[in-house]
């Protein structure tokens, strides 16, 4: 949207050659208008400064009073500016603190995610190793069970070579053709 129209200020003839409205001509839409708290404070300071300048004695008449009044005004201005700078620094410090806290929170979250992933990996590795050991155990138990079954059967069916050669009717001398 376009900026509202602000007409040029024409000179006003009459009682006041320097009206307050002309002091505000640098305020334009988007830069000072609509007026916020900071702009209102600036306007009030400008009013006080003009009132102070109007109350100053002529420098030729009383230079000491003029000098002391100007020094007091400058000291007040410096004190005000220092408080403004301090407030800005505190605001910046708060922004930095918030950014650091956000970064720390994000870092903690990422670290927690990594720890969870590592725990899951370790648990999966332990479970896989346990499953492998269980499988090998079952296999070995089956081998042992099969070996126990064969122990009793193998002694009965064990071949006696001497008795086969001693007996001339054995399969060694006369094999059976159909078996």
């Amino acid at each position: 949207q376009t900026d509202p129209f602000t007409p040029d200020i024409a000179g006003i003839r009459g009682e006041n050659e320097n009206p307050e409205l002309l002091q505000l001509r640098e305020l334009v839409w988007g830069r000072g208008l609509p007026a916020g708290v900071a702009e209102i404070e600036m306007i009030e300071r400008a009013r006080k400064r003009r009132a102070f300048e109007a109350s100053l004695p002529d420098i030729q008449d009383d230079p000491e009073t003029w000098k002391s009044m100007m020094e007091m005004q400058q000291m007040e201005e410096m004190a005000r500016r220092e408080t403004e700078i301090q407030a800005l620094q505190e605001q910046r410090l708060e922004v930095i603190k918030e950014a650091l806290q956000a970064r720390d929170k994000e870092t903690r979250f990422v670290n927690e995610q990594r720890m969870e992933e590592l725990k899951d990996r370790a648990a999966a590795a332990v479970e896989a190793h346990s499953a492998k050991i269980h499988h090998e155990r079952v296999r070995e138990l089956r081998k042992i069970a099969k070996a126990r079954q064969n122990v009793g059967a193998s002694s009965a069916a064990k071949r006696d070579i001497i008795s086969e050669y001693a007996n001339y009717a054995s399969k060694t001398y006369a094999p059976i053709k159909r078996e």
Side-chain angles (χ1 to χ4, degrees):
Q1 187 174 359
T2 60
D3 291 340
F5 174 69
T6 306
D8 293 333
I9 298 173
I12 301 172
R13 295 186 183 128
E15 63 198 53
N16 193 355
E17 292 297 322
N18 199 6
E20 186 177 10
L21 187 60
L22 290 178
Q23 304 295 327
L24 304 176
R25 67 177 169 252
E26 61 269 353
L27 296 178
V28 294
W29 189 261
R31 286 190 333 228
L33 290 179
V37 175
E39 288 79 14
I40 292 173
E41 288 176 357
M42 181 196 69
I43 293 168
E44 291 296 322
R45 281 195 310 272
R47 284 180 180 165
K48 286 180 185 177
R49 191 177 320 119
R50 281 193 300 278
F52 171 76
E53 289 172 357
S55 69
L56 272 175
D58 192 19
I59 193 165
Q60 273 80 21
D61 294 341
D62 193 5
E64 289 299 319
T65 307
W66 184 87
K67 182 178 178 184
S68 64
M69 288 178 73
M70 286 301 288
E71 285 177 355
M72 284 188 355
Q73 178 67 19
Q74 287 177 352
M75 294 300 280
E76 289 175 6
E77 188 68 24
M78 284 174 44
R80 183 196 56 80
R81 185 65 184 142
E82 285 178 6
T83 57
E84 284 180 2
I85 291 171
Q86 186 67 29
L88 286 173
Q89 287 175 344
E90 288 175 4
Q91 286 177 349
R92 288 179 184 157
L93 184 62
E94 287 300 318
V95 168
I96 290 171
K97 282 182 183 178
E98 289 173 4
L100 287 174
Q101 287 174 351
R103 185 186 74 181
D104 289 345
K105 184 178 178 183
E106 184 178 336
T107 303
R108 265 188 256 115
F109 177 73
V110 168
N111 287 340
E112 288 173 2
Q113 293 295 325
R114 286 180 186 162
M115 290 302 293
E116 289 297 322
E117 185 179 339
L118 288 174
K119 285 179 186 177
D120 292 344
R121 282 186 196 169
V126 167
E127 190 175 324
H129 186 67
S130 174
K132 180 181 174 185
I133 289 174
H134 178 71
H135 178 69
E136 289 177 3
R137 179 179 163 269
V138 168
R139 189 175 69 201
E140 291 299 322
L141 286 175
R142 286 181 187 150
K143 283 183 184 178
I144 291 171
K146 188 175 181 182
R148 283 185 182 167
Q149 286 177 354
N150 289 341
V151 167
S154 67
S155 63
K158 195 172 185 183
R159 184 175 162 193
D160 187 15
I161 298 174
I162 295 175
S163 61
E164 285 181 15
Y165 279 101
N167 184 5
Y168 291 110
S170 71
K171 292 181 184 176
T172 307
Y173 292 109
I176 300 175
K177 291 193 177 192
R178 286 184 245 138
E179 193 176 322

